[in-house]
Amino acid sequence: MATIQILLLFTLIASFVNPTTSQPCNSYKFPNNLNYVTCKDLPKNNARDSSWIAWAINPNSKGMLGSQALIGYRKFDGSFKAYTSSITSYATILQESNISFPIFNLSGIYLNGSMMIFASLQLPKNVSMVNHVWQEGLVSDDGSFRSHALTGSNVQSFGTLDFKSGIVSQKIDGKLKSRTTLKNVHAILNAISWGTLMPIGVILARHLKSFEGLGSTWFHLHRACQSIALLIGTIGFGTGLYMGNHHQGLHNTPHRCVGITLMTLALVQVCVAFCLRPKNDHKYRILWNIFHLIVGYTTVVLAIWNVFKGFDILGGNFIWRNMYGAVIGCLVLVGLMLEVVTWIRLWKKNNKRTTQEIGL
């Protein structure tokens, strides 16, 4: 079996840590006057400050599971560590372990804003073309590795590598595109329904009923808003269950559990509202009101948290997370303003009533 000497293709990926030094692989001057017959740039992913980087050969498939990986990251003391890790689970934390093929002279450096890993690999006999994957993610303040993003280039960073010809190819199949589309649809539906319409419905119920002359308009608007939110949210919930059951690697336990809790609370709220709501003058109406408020506000708080959690899971471009944060910020501001108006109106109403009683 021949040992094939290669430079692991991290140079371009990691050079984006310092964009001013980024240059094509074939013109890059490697340290210690190292020269390579073939050097290819990988087409996807940009590493960032405080990142870990990974490159792997997958002997059996194109994806992450089963990959035999080389990991590198810069420690907080400035040193660089390179090691091997066998990916046996989507919940991996990239712990150090042996891989399934021989590897020699594994090392890595951090130089001028670039992270590089060097190694010699021994491939099986008559094997020159392999499936390979590469990834990057952030390192937390405690030194633990954060998961890589599940959108954009992070779900497109795989392909084939021919060591004889030096050809690096990549083809994004229809399944990957449909999975990415489904994730985006799931995020949008739930951000609109649970994360936006539900809070708006609560604001309508809380404040509009204090305005005289509206009658039951506030109630109809509240019910319509929450009904539309539940309808859209149910579809969003269904897409989440489908992805978790049919697409490996898309399961996130806290996000999923909160989603199931939200759906349960919403259905309980609907049943109690339509089937068990006593009349306004009933002696148990106060208990129903308390239950309705607790369940409603709990649902809204959990919904907002879960939407932000979902955006964190998707990672990648934070523009959608920031846009949603701006929407919630506006709703909070409107709610506070209406709260002030409501208390002022209530104070004036009580003051007027007191004045009339004294006059009588």
Side-chain angles (χ1 to χ4, degrees):
M1 292 185 288
T3 299
I4 302 178
Q5 179 78 25
I6 65 167
L7 164 70
L8 296 186
L9 305 179
F10 279 132
T11 305
L12 180 62
I13 297 175
S15 66
F16 281 99
V17 174
N18 185 353
T20 60
T21 63
S22 177
Q23 57 187 123
C25 179
N26 56 16
S27 63
Y28 188 87
K29 293 183 178 180
F30 296 104
N32 300 323
N33 296 318
L34 291 173
N35 293 301
Y36 297 90
V37 176
T38 302
C39 187
K40 297 292 184 179
D41 299 326
L42 296 177
K44 299 290 182 181
N45 268 354
N46 298 329
R48 295 160 287 179
D49 289 323
S50 302
S51 293
W52 56 262
I53 55 175
W55 179 88
I57 288 177
N58 193 327
N60 302 313
S61 66
K62 296 181 179 179
M64 170 184 170
L65 196 63
S67 295
Q68 306 301 299
L70 307 184
I71 313 296
Y73 72 101
R74 188 188 185 197
K75 296 181 178 180
F76 292 115
D77 61 7
S79 62
F80 190 89
K81 180 176 182 180
Y83 63 93
T84 60
S85 180
S86 180
I87 312 301
T88 59
S89 168
Y90 284 105
T92 181
I93 56 175
L94 299 179
Q95 62 270 28
E96 189 169 354
S97 61
N98 295 326
I99 56 177
S100 62
F101 52 83
I103 184 169
F104 310 96
N105 303 321
L106 176 62
S107 64
I109 62 171
Y110 179 89
L111 181 65
N112 298 326
S114 295
M115 289 181 283
M116 288 171 273
I117 297 178
F118 304 88
S120 299
L121 307 179
Q122 183 173 304
L123 300 178
K125 187 177 182 180
N126 299 323
V127 172
S128 64
M129 180 176 289
V130 297
N131 299 313
H132 71 134
V133 295
W134 58 97
Q135 276 297 347
E136 59 83 25
L138 295 179
V139 179
S140 300
D141 292 337
D142 60 0
S144 61
F145 289 2
R146 296 175 61 182
S147 299
H148 65 78
L150 296 177
T151 56
S153 60
N154 289 88
V155 294
Q156 301 173 10
S157 52
F158 63 88
T160 59
L161 171 61
D162 191 331
F163 285 106
K164 285 186 176 180
S165 66
I167 295 176
V168 178
S169 63
Q170 182 190 42
K171 182 179 180 181
I172 306 301
D173 57 24
K175 288 184 178 180
L176 177 61
K177 290 182 178 179
S178 63
R179 181 169 22 173
T180 301
T181 300
L182 189 60
K183 286 188 292 186
N184 293 336
V185 169
H186 173 74
I188 292 172
L189 289 177
N190 286 294
I192 291 175
S193 57
W194 300 103
T196 304
L197 290 178
M198 285 281 184
I200 290 176
V202 170
I203 291 174
L204 292 175
R206 166 67 181 165
H207 300 291
L208 287 190
K209 62 183 177 181
S210 65
F211 288 86
E212 298 178 359
L214 291 180
S216 61
T217 301
W218 70 268
F219 173 74
H220 298 301
L221 289 174
H222 169 72
R223 184 170 60 180
C225 189
Q226 302 304 70
S227 297
I228 295 173
L230 181 59
L231 176 61
I232 299 175
T234 301
I235 299 174
F237 176 77
T239 60
L241 290 181
Y242 178 84
M243 288 190 297
N245 294 331
H246 293 83
H247 296 298
Q248 290 182 322
L250 296 183
H251 178 82
N252 182 276
T253 300
H255 184 66
R256 184 184 180 97
C257 290
V258 173
I260 294 173
T261 301
L262 284 172
M263 198 68 209
T264 303
L265 290 175
L267 292 177
V268 169
Q269 189 81 310
V270 169
C271 292
V272 172
F274 282 94
C275 302
L276 300 176
R277 184 178 63 189
K279 294 182 179 181
N280 291 334
D281 57 352
H282 196 281
K283 64 178 181 178
Y284 292 127
R285 178 62 184 235
I286 183 63
L287 297 178
W288 184 91
N289 287 340
I290 293 173
F291 176 85
H292 189 69
L293 286 173
I294 292 176
V295 174
Y297 283 110
T298 301
T299 301
V300 168
V301 171
L302 287 177
I304 294 174
W305 181 90
N306 217 32
V307 170
F308 278 115
K309 179 66 175 178
F311 284 127
D312 287 339
I313 294 170
L314 289 177
N317 195 331
F318 290 102
I319 186 172
W320 296 109
R321 188 181 192 277
N322 294 337
M323 288 177 61
Y324 178 69
V327 170
I328 292 301
C330 290
L331 290 179
V332 170
L333 181 61
V334 170
L336 291 175
M337 292 173 61
L338 289 174
E339 189 72 23
V340 172
V341 171
T342 299
W343 280 101
I344 291 176
R345 289 174 59 86
L346 181 62
W347 176 79
K348 288 182 177 180
K349 185 177 180 179
N350 291 336
N351 189 51
K352 182 179 179 180
R353 182 183 303 169
T354 301
T355 302
Q356 291 175 345
E357 292 177 352
I358 293 175
L360 290 175

